[in-house]
Amino acid sequence: MIIAENLTRRFGDRLAVENLSVEIAEGEVFGFLGPNGAGKTTTVRMLAGLLAPTAGRAVVAGVDVCAEPQRVRSLVGILTEHPGLYEKLSAWHNLKFYADLHDLPNAEAQIEKYLNLLGLWERRFEPVGTFSKGMKQKLAIARALLHEPKVLFLDEPTSGLDPESAKTVRDFIAQLASEKRTIFLCTHNLYEAEQLCTRIGLIKQRLIKVGSPQQLKRELYGRQIVVDLKEPITLSEDLRLPFVRDVQADGRRLLVQLDDPEAQNPLLIKRLVELGAQIQFVREHDRSLEEVYLDLIAEEKA
Amino acid sequence: MTLKRINTVIVKEWREAFKGGKTFWIGTVALPLVLLGVSFFPFLYAGDLRGISTEETKELFEKVSMLFLTPLLFFLMFPMVIPHSIAIYAIMSEKEQKSLEPLLATPLRTDELFLAKTLASVLPALAITWIAFGLFLAVMQFLLPSTVLELAWQQFGSIWLMTLLLFAPLAATFMTLASMAIATRVSDLRTAQLLSSFAMLPILMSAFFLIFQNLLDKPALLGGLCAALLVLDIALLGLNVKLFRREEILTRWR
């Protein structure tokens, strides 16, 4: 649904995005992470037909963004970082304006559908300036969806929202993903990325890594097993089984690096029991996406 | 370029402007109405002139002919003052509300956006100027004998027509383009208003100079002012075409 090949954008001497190549399948929720100024917004603008790339090409929803940017804009939906609504106009008139720009034949039915879906129908004739931040964000989401785009670009969709509103928006994004829409999600919220995204791309001018959250963790750290013991044991050569990549003792806790815990755990536990260890718990150490993100960005800086 | 998209943006501009509060209403409706009312005062003092003879009419017209030039001041002002606030608001409100990116993410083209914003300011300015002139003529019809009006039309008709059909569109376009160009480059509404007021001054002062120096019975002078405005409009059009490029809007309009 989205194909980018060596997408590059310069602003004068400044390189904003360098040789970005990625393929995103239909129905995928692709998380796009990176520090401020890493080129996330520029990438979205290029993919959505708002800015022409300096070099490279991209095809979105089957349309070349360089050759037919206007057509791309009619096929994708964007939720920008700021809701960017007309505060003096009502919710209805805001959506009607955008529906008319998209030349929707069923504009009023679409407006009604999304205002109802996002719980704004009762306040449709009130000026948007009187809405809470969460309501404005919902209205901006409705605006992005009015023309039923197959591809959605969401830039910080839960930024600045209270936890309840943020959850509502996250649930709505999950619902959109279940409708087979392709979602390109820029976020700083790593919990959100981990919850929603099938794959994640890390950018800092160039794409550093792409993969599912699990893949990224495994690629960076391997798989680590945590064994909680009743009493500390001394690490000996006896524990160094051929498949154990690394082992560390931390008081009553053993941290063991394995390639295939599903197959190797029984052998590991058997050996520990043979060595007299009293095992209380065995579990996989689940690294957070935050650790992955910070380590990859630090690695890139280095 | 589609007329439907242009029309959609124009309607949105007007809908926002109507909700723009007293600044908008004072600038575009109240001020022209007050000025128009003021232009009738000299004629009201003339008393009931409708029964006078043709000879007396000619004699009278010699004395009051300059009174017909005073309202002209206002018809020179309207096309400059009215688009001033609408054009600035059309850009500044988009910037303040950060609504440009979602707007540019639609199939709307930048030339359509530019044309719509320009027309949204120029059309009300022309409509109000022409309606005000229609009202002026209607009230004059009621206050003065038709022979006086006929004489006035013979003497000032060409100036009035040039003002309404040539000066007004050119001046409204000038003010709109100048205000929009300024608004794209400043981040504060008041600064934009102040700077675009300065842009208005040379044109208004030239027009007033022509009137006060009693030069307006020489239409060529007003024609010269219109020609100068045309040159300025073309230059401003070129500038605005550059300012309304998508990349420029997304990265430089702050």
Side-chain angles (χ1 to χ4, degrees):
Chain A
M1 192 53 81
I2 299 176
I3 302 167
E5 288 171 5
N6 298 316
L7 214 55
T8 301
R9 177 69 213 197
R10 284 182 176 279
F11 292 103
D13 293 338
R14 192 173 68 83
L15 186 63
V17 177
E18 184 185 10
N19 287 326
L20 185 138
S21 297
V22 69
E23 278 194 36
I24 301 167
E26 185 181 2
E28 199 173 342
V29 182
F30 186 83
F32 205 45
L33 311 182
N36 290 330
K40 299 190 295 292
T41 303
T42 304
T43 304
V44 168
R45 285 174 173 176
M46 286 192 285
L47 292 175
L50 271 88
L51 268 185
T54 313
R57 66 186 284 269
V59 176
V60 176
V63 181
D64 188 319
V65 296
C66 301
E68 296 180 87
Q70 192 179 17
R71 210 170 135 225
V72 169
R73 293 199 300 275
S74 69
L75 294 172
V76 305
I78 286 198
L79 174 72
T80 48
E81 192 181 348
H82 303 282
L85 297 157
Y86 298 108
E87 304 252 323
K88 285 180 183 141
L89 303 186
S90 66
W92 178 274
H93 279 133
N94 264 279
L95 294 188
K96 184 72 171 63
F97 172 61
Y98 281 92
D100 288 344
L101 288 179
H102 280 285
D103 202 13
L104 297 187
N106 54 345
E108 300 198 346
Q110 284 296 94
I111 295 170
E112 187 175 344
K113 173 185 164 184
Y114 281 107
L115 285 178
N116 270 318
L117 210 58
L118 289 155
L120 297 170
W121 178 250
E122 297 302 320
R123 299 189 62 179
R124 63 191 179 282
F125 293 130
E126 292 178 30
V128 169
T130 64
F131 284 14
S132 68
K133 199 166 182 181
M135 290 166 75
K136 285 180 187 171
Q137 193 71 340
K138 285 181 194 171
L139 188 60
I141 292 173
R143 180 186 61 198
L145 290 166
L146 271 181
H147 56 297
E148 302 292 356
K150 280 282 173 203
V151 180
L152 263 176
F153 294 94
L154 306 177
D155 198 352
E156 302 282 343
T158 57
S159 166
L161 298 186
D162 64 69
E164 197 186 347
S165 302
K167 186 177 182 312
T168 310
V169 170
R170 270 199 296 274
D171 291 347
F172 192 67
I173 294 170
Q175 188 189 324
L176 293 172
S178 71
E179 293 167 7
K180 284 279 169 204
R181 294 187 206 253
T182 307
I183 298 173
F184 193 97
L185 174 71
C186 294
T187 183
H188 286 302
N189 186 329
L190 301 174
Y191 167 76
E192 183 173 285
E194 201 160 6
Q195 293 289 307
L196 291 170
C197 300
T198 42
R199 278 195 308 155
I200 280 165
L202 232 72
I203 185 177
K204 196 162 182 285
Q205 270 75 53
R206 57 187 189 82
L207 205 55
I208 301 170
K209 277 267 189 279
V210 180
S212 70
Q214 284 304 324
Q215 275 174 336
L216 291 180
K217 287 176 195 175
R218 286 177 191 175
E219 206 175 302
L220 201 64
Y221 307 111
R223 296 182 73 182
Q224 201 170 39
I225 303 304
V226 182
V227 184
D228 288 312
L229 305 169
K230 197 171 179 189
E231 299 291 337
I233 63 165
T234 315
L235 287 180
S236 67
E237 284 304 313
D238 295 334
L239 194 55
R240 301 215 180 270
L241 295 160
F243 55 80
V244 172
R245 293 169 66 88
D246 185 36
V247 60
Q248 290 169 23
D250 179 13
R252 293 191 295 120
R253 178 169 289 176
L254 285 180
L255 300 166
V256 188
Q257 198 87 26
L258 301 174
D259 286 329
D260 185 6
E262 286 80 2
Q264 295 158 345
N265 268 352
L267 299 172
L268 174 73
I269 292 164
K270 186 170 174 245
R271 175 58 62 91
L272 283 168
V273 171
E274 283 168 3
L275 292 171
Q278 291 177 289
I279 299 168
Q280 285 181 317
F281 301 103
V282 179
R283 63 195 155 82
E284 186 163 3
H285 184 189
D286 192 18
R287 302 270 189 168
S288 70
L289 191 59
E290 188 178 13
E291 286 175 85
V292 176
Y293 173 85
L294 292 173
D295 284 346
L296 283 173
I297 294 294
E299 201 175 277
E300 182 66 14
K301 272 184 189 163
Chain B
M1 195 180 287
T2 74
L3 282 178
K4 191 183 175 196
R5 283 199 291 264
I6 293 169
N7 185 50
T8 299
V9 177
I10 292 175
V11 170
K12 189 275 290 178
E13 292 300 326
W14 289 348
R15 194 167 268 142
E16 269 202 297
F18 288 146
K19 292 174 189 287
K22 57 186 178 192
T23 314
F24 167 77
W25 289 103
I26 289 171
T28 54
V29 179
L31 184 68
L33 277 176
V34 170
L35 293 178
L36 190 64
V38 169
S39 69
F40 297 134
F41 284 154
F43 298 101
L44 290 172
Y45 277 109
D48 188 2
L49 301 169
R50 278 168 297 176
I52 60 175
S53 68
T54 311
E55 277 309 305
E56 285 171 320
T57 301
K58 283 183 179 164
E59 214 172 286
L60 175 72
F61 184 74
E62 293 292 315
K63 290 177 183 162
V64 301
S65 64
M66 280 310 293
L67 289 180
F68 286 94
L69 285 178
T70 318
L72 201 57
L73 275 176
F74 305 129
F75 299 120
L76 289 165
M77 273 174 71
F78 292 167
M80 304 209 78
V81 175
I82 296 165
H84 172 238
S85 55
I86 304 178
I88 288 175
Y89 189 79
I91 304 296
M92 295 306 290
S93 72
E94 299 277 8
K95 287 164 72 170
E96 283 172 3
Q97 295 175 111
K98 301 187 192 305
S99 49
L100 283 161
E101 191 168 357
L103 183 60
L104 293 174
T106 68
L108 182 72
R109 288 166 30 171
T110 49
D111 51 358
E112 292 168 342
L113 178 67
F114 166 65
L115 191 59
K117 296 260 180 200
T118 306
L119 290 175
S121 293
V122 170
L123 293 180
L126 289 182
I128 292 170
T129 306
W130 290 341
I131 289 169
F133 185 72
L135 281 173
F136 170 74
L137 282 186
V139 174
M140 288 297 102
Q141 204 86 39
F142 178 74
L143 290 177
L144 298 172
S146 58
T147 43
V148 173
L149 277 180
E150 278 165 23
L151 286 169
W153 190 254
Q154 279 168 22
Q155 186 160 346
F156 301 116
S158 56
I159 293 293
W160 280 343
L161 286 176
M162 276 182 80
T163 303
L164 293 168
L165 301 179
L166 203 58
F167 178 86
L170 288 169
T173 306
F174 167 80
M175 208 52 230
T176 299
L177 296 179
S179 300
M180 289 201 307
I182 288 165
T184 62
R185 280 291 172 269
V186 299
S187 54
D188 172 60
L189 179 68
R190 288 188 194 285
T191 312
Q193 283 171 330
L194 188 69
L195 290 175
S196 59
S197 301
F198 287 140
M200 184 190 331
L201 278 179
I203 311 296
L204 268 186
M205 285 170 73
S206 308
F208 289 178
F209 177 79
L210 291 181
I211 290 173
F212 290 125
Q213 294 300 311
N214 197 16
L215 298 171
L216 272 180
D217 51 352
K218 298 183 184 73
L221 290 171
L222 187 58
L225 183 60
C226 289
L229 268 177
L230 182 65
V231 172
L232 285 172
D233 283 357
I234 291 167
L236 281 170
L237 182 68
L239 175 65
N240 274 278
V241 166
K242 282 183 186 165
L243 293 173
F244 268 79
R245 284 191 297 221
R246 193 169 293 271
E247 185 177 329
E248 183 81 15
I249 297 171
L250 285 170
T251 57
R252 302 278 305 273
W253 287 25
R254 300 280 180 207

